[in-house]
Amino acid sequence: EDLEAWLDGYIPSALQRGDVAGAIVVVVKDGRVLLQKGYGYADVEARRAFDPEHTLFRPGSVSKLVTWTAVMQQVEQGRIDLDRDINAYLDFTIPPHAGRPVTMRNLMTHTGGFEQSFKDLLLTDPAKVVPLGQFLKGHVPARIFAPGEIPAYSNFGAALAGYIVQRVSGQSFDDYVERQIFGPLGIRHASFRQPLPVGNQSQLAKGYQLASGPPSPYEIFPGPAGNAVLTGADMARFMIAHLQEGEFEGRRILRAETARLMHDSPLTIVSPALNRMLLGFYESNRNGRRVIGHEGDTRVFHSILRLLPDENVGIFVSVNSAGLDEAGRAIRLDVSDAFIDRYFPRQTPRSTLVPKEVARVHAALLVGQYDSSQREESSYPSLLNLVLQADVTTDAAGHILASPIAGNNGQPKRYEEIAPYVWGEVGGKSRLAAKVVDGKVVMWAADHDSPHQVYLPTP
């Protein structure tokens, strides 16, 4: 009752202020649905409400959690080895870089070393869609990092993992997911298929740049990287299965030990004080609580899934509009953060501050210009790297400010050092940390993006 009253007091006004058409919120606890509720409109012109049982929406990259679950099923069955060269499973070659091959573990932790590539990543014309294998063979990104060393989010890597599931299972990826994941969970309407089956199209929520404007075209991604379509009730079943270590209503999609491996294998690149990449999931720890999840963004749908395994609780939020000043992104994140703050407040006290004279020396080391690891290098868009560098500065009080890290008010967040080379947000909960080698900063990250993106000194 408290949860519904709180959400009813927040979400409708947030949608109106942000010019966002609609939202879905799903909360599960102890193996059951605690709340699933729609707000606003799935279709503004038709005044069709968001129905958590029947409205289909686009969770974007939250879809990858289904793909990674499929991968782990094949690991269980011995058809995929997390640490074997992925070329063993392919009918084309991913060349080694720095003398080392890419492994499935690299793909699952976004450390394959691929540059970012947006070519043909998002289409609106179904006639331009090609089979998954054909797409991958024609869009192999350049390798810019040695595998396993630098996290750089890769849609190509996730699509490649789905293709490997297809190859080793002998089924198309779409068929595999429907039979081996959706089927055991009792999910009947969800799909990765493109174009979307005719029977599902009338249930689909429309997406909008602004709720006050026309609907946007249907967006198509390389299937396993972000092409799922499903309902709130579907997402509830998927969350419960992962919270129960692979089991839902007596049926299993993963063995318990496989689910634990997936949920609790953190890869530390920058600092253990930051959120880290797991096997497909990423940490989004808050208030001293263990939180795992994923976010997903198309141009117009914005989603977030968060699980608190120790509390057996999960929350999923999705909106179907970009909104004013990216209000859609802000709403999904604000709701999930505020939910954890409201019902699972901080258990442990915050770390003590580093002495000011030491903090000033460490801050001076961090000041400078940096490039994101999530970037293009071999194509014309790489020119943007010249003007999109991250600037790290200090203020008069010695606080760290980083240009990419801003609050909802658009102002840079300020950070004070709370442990050696770990900074906590002044008046907030986020963290920033640096990896220092031989007295030099070799990379830094902020905990919202640290599982899949770091900043490296600009050459």
Side-chain angles (χ1 to χ4, degrees):
E1 291 175 359
D2 183 83
L3 174 62
E4 186 169 18
W6 171 65
L7 290 170
D8 288 351
Y10 175 78
I11 292 182
S13 59
L15 298 181
Q16 184 177 20
R17 287 194 309 272
D19 202 2
V20 173
I24 183 79
V25 181
V26 180
V27 177
V28 298
K29 184 180 188 296
D30 297 332
R32 66 184 180 90
V33 177
L34 187 68
L35 176 143
Q36 56 182 27
K37 190 167 184 178
Y39 295 87
Y41 295 108
D43 185 331
V44 174
E45 184 179 11
R47 313 304 278 179
R48 177 162 59 94
F50 243 115
D51 180 342
E53 287 283 351
H54 301 105
T55 301
L56 293 164
F57 59 85
R58 312 296 305 279
S61 285
V62 177
S63 308
K64 289 182 174 69
L65 294 179
V66 178
T67 300
W68 301 131
T69 300
V71 167
M72 294 305 290
Q73 288 180 333
Q74 294 302 297
V75 170
E76 262 186 9
Q77 295 176 34
R79 295 194 182 104
I80 294 176
D81 182 331
L82 290 174
D83 298 306
R84 188 179 184 187
D85 183 344
I86 57 171
N87 286 311
Y89 311 113
L90 295 172
D91 55 349
F92 65 103
T93 301
I94 303 294
H97 185 78
R100 284 145 55 186
V102 176
T103 67
M104 182 60 75
R105 190 183 301 274
N106 297 149
L107 298 184
M108 296 189 77
T109 56
H110 293 288
T111 57
F114 298 109
E115 73 169 346
Q116 184 68 275
S117 177
F118 293 103
K119 180 175 171 52
D120 298 329
L121 182 65
L122 188 153
L123 300 173
T124 55
D125 182 358
K128 294 183 178 180
V129 177
V130 299
L132 178 59
Q134 182 180 336
F135 171 84
L136 293 168
K137 293 169 188 176
H139 293 79
V140 179
R143 305 281 298 291
I144 58 176
F145 305 117
E149 294 188 359
I150 303 292
Y153 193 84
S154 177
N155 285 296
F156 177 86
L160 187 61
Y163 184 58
I164 289 173
V165 169
Q166 179 171 297
R167 296 262 307 157
V168 301
S169 70
Q171 305 174 58
S172 74
F173 180 79
D174 298 337
D175 285 345
Y176 181 91
V177 167
E178 289 174 8
R179 295 170 184 171
Q180 306 302 327
I181 298 178
F182 294 156
L185 296 179
I187 294 172
R188 295 179 177 84
H189 301 294
S191 180
F192 275 78
R193 297 182 185 276
Q194 299 303 329
L196 189 65
V198 174
N200 292 354
Q201 292 178 10
S202 63
Q203 298 174 265
L204 186 66
K206 293 184 177 180
Y208 301 84
Q209 284 294 329
L210 298 174
S212 58
S216 296
Y218 186 83
E219 301 166 284
I220 304 172
F221 298 86
N227 226 18
V229 177
L230 72 174
T231 70
D234 295 338
M235 190 60 79
R237 290 167 177 255
F238 184 74
M239 287 195 290
I240 290 170
H242 271 281
L243 285 167
Q244 296 185 158
E245 296 185 335
E247 182 269 331
F248 179 80
E249 294 184 348
R251 299 181 296 276
R252 282 204 165 272
I253 57 171
L254 291 173
R255 296 174 191 156
E257 59 270 25
T258 307
R260 288 193 292 269
L261 176 66
M262 193 176 183
H263 300 161
D264 198 16
S265 298
L267 175 65
T268 301
I269 297 290
V270 179
S271 167
L274 295 181
N275 291 325
R276 296 164 296 177
M277 198 68 212
L278 308 170
L279 288 177
F281 284 86
Y282 50 81
E283 290 180 328
S284 49
N285 297 337
R286 190 172 179 87
N287 297 339
R289 311 273 183 164
R290 184 164 72 102
V291 185
I292 66 174
H294 211 288
E295 296 178 25
D297 298 287
T298 74
R299 288 174 179 163
V300 290
F301 283 86
H302 302 284
S303 308
I304 189 168
L305 180 150
R306 282 179 165 174
L307 304 179
L308 290 85
D310 299 332
E311 286 77 18
N312 205 11
V313 167
I315 181 170
F316 176 80
V317 184
S318 185
V319 301
N320 65 335
S321 309
L324 293 169
D325 299 322
E326 297 190 335
R329 288 174 180 263
I331 289 170
R332 57 93 193 259
L333 187 60
D334 288 350
V335 170
S336 62
D337 280 350
F339 170 81
I340 296 172
D341 292 346
R342 183 178 183 87
Y343 298 107
F344 304 99
R346 177 170 290 278
Q347 292 178 309
T348 55
R350 189 165 180 167
S351 305
T352 56
L353 297 179
V354 170
K356 287 186 177 180
E357 61 275 13
V358 176
R360 288 186 180 277
V361 172
H362 291 175
L365 286 178
L366 190 58
V367 168
Q369 290 187 311
Y370 297 83
D371 292 326
S372 168
S373 62
Q374 195 174 326
R375 65 179 188 262
E376 295 193 57
E377 278 199 2
S378 65
S379 55
Y380 286 116
S382 65
L383 293 171
L384 291 172
N385 297 336
L386 298 175
V387 294
L388 294 180
Q389 292 158 0
D391 288 304
V392 177
T393 59
T394 58
D395 63 15
H399 297 138
I400 287 288
L401 295 88
S403 59
I405 317 299
N408 287 340
N409 60 3
Q411 297 301 308
K413 294 182 178 182
R414 295 180 301 131
Y415 291 87
E416 57 189 354
E417 195 169 16
I418 57 175
Y421 302 111
V422 178
W423 290 264
E425 180 188 354
V426 177
K429 301 193 176 188
S430 66
R431 293 190 177 198
L432 183 152
K435 182 176 182 178
V436 177
V437 177
D438 296 331
K440 294 183 178 181
V441 172
V442 296
M443 66 180 75
W444 67 267
D447 57 4
H448 180 260
D449 293 325
S450 55
H452 49 78
Q453 177 178 245
V454 298
Y455 290 90
L456 308 165
T458 300

